[in-house]
Amino acid sequence: MLRRRELGENDLLVTLFTPEKGRFQAVARSSRKVAARLMGKLEPTMEIDLSLAQGKSLDVVTEVRVRETRPQTRGDLDRLAYALVLLELFEVVDAPGETWPLLSATLTLLEAGADAATLLAWCEIQLVESLGLAPEMAVCVACRGPRTTSFSVRQGGLLCATCSGRDDNAWAVVPGTVAFYRQLRGAAPALLPRLSAEPLVRRQLEEVMRSHLSYRWPHRLRSLDFLAQVERMRR
C-alpha cells in the first residue's frame, strides 16, 4: 500500500501497488473508526492480501489480511521517512506491475537495516534502468566521447568538457560519483551493505538522481520535505 488520504470523516482513499495491476486506488469505508475491522491494516510499507468489491467509480476494500508489517521501518522515524520517499516515487512514475519485486526488495532491505540513503539511490537507479529512462552515465550524451566532466539534466546525462560549454545549466561531477552510480547499477541486493562512498559523492549522486527524476516526472516529492525535516532533527 502506497498512500492513504482521508475521504470524509471515516473513509480512506488508499493507493496500492500490486504485481498484477500495477498502481491503483480503492476506498476503505469506515476504516478510520476505532472499532473498524480494517483499522491498522492499511498502513504505509505493509504488504497485504485484500478483497475488493466493485464500486461506482472505485473498488471498495472489503477484507484485508496482513502479510508483512515491517515493524522496524514503521517504528524508526529515519527509516520511515526514506520508505515514504520510496513509496511516493513509485506512485509518481506510475510504475508498472513488473517493478513490484524491486519495491518489495527495497522495503525488505530497509527493514533489515541497510543504509537507507544508499538503498534509495540504488532503487532509483534500478527503477529508471528498468523503465528505459536512465541517464547516460558512461559517455558524453552529446558526442559519445569518453572523457566526461559534467552532468546535464536537460540532455539527460554526462557531458565532456567541450559539450558542457554549450549547456549553461550543466554542473561538474567528480569521477567518484560516476563510479558509484555504476557500482549501484550493477549491484545485487546482497552486495549493498558492502558499498560505500564519501559524503561528497553520495550527495552529488543524490542530486544527479533527484534532478533527473524531477525532469522526467515534473512532480516534487512531498515526502522529501519530511525526510529533510527528520535529517535536520538528527543533526
Side-chain angles (χ1 to χ4, degrees), residues 17 86 89-90 92-96 98-100 102-103 106 119-137 151 153 156-157 181-182 184-186 205-218 221:
F17 193 81
L86 279 166
L89 172 63
F90 273 74
V92 166
V93 303
D94 197 10
E98 290 80 3
T99 60
W100 163 253
L102 173 61
L103 176 58
T106 305
L119 190 58
L120 178 57
W122 174 80
C123 185
E124 290 171 339
I125 292 169
Q126 300 302 318
L127 180 59
V128 294
E129 290 280 348
S130 68
L131 296 176
L133 297 171
E136 174 57 76
M137 297 294 283
F151 182 81
V153 176
Y181 178 97
R182 294 173 182 170
L184 291 176
R185 178 187 179 189
L205 181 58
E206 179 181 293
E207 185 177 0
V208 166
M209 292 310 301
R210 300 287 158 74
S211 300
H212 181 72
L213 289 166
S214 296
Y215 186 78
R216 290 287 183 177
W217 295 278
L221 298 181

Side-chain angles (χ1 to χ4, degrees), residues 47-104:
E47 286 191 26
I48 58 176
D49 291 325
L50 76 165
S51 299
L52 298 170
Q54 186 174 3
K56 293 182 179 180
S57 57
L58 292 171
D59 288 343
V60 178
V61 178
T62 58
E63 186 177 353
V64 176
R65 182 171 66 86
V66 178
R67 298 178 61 183
E68 177 59 60
T69 61
R70 298 197 169 95
Q72 300 303 318
T73 298
R74 295 176 57 235
D76 182 274
L77 191 59
D78 296 276
R79 273 185 275 188
L80 179 60
Y82 275 97
L84 293 177
V85 174
L86 279 166
L87 295 173
E88 188 178 4
L89 172 63
F90 273 74
E91 181 180 12
V92 166
V93 303
D94 197 10
E98 290 80 3
T99 60
W100 163 253
L102 173 61
L103 176 58
S104 181

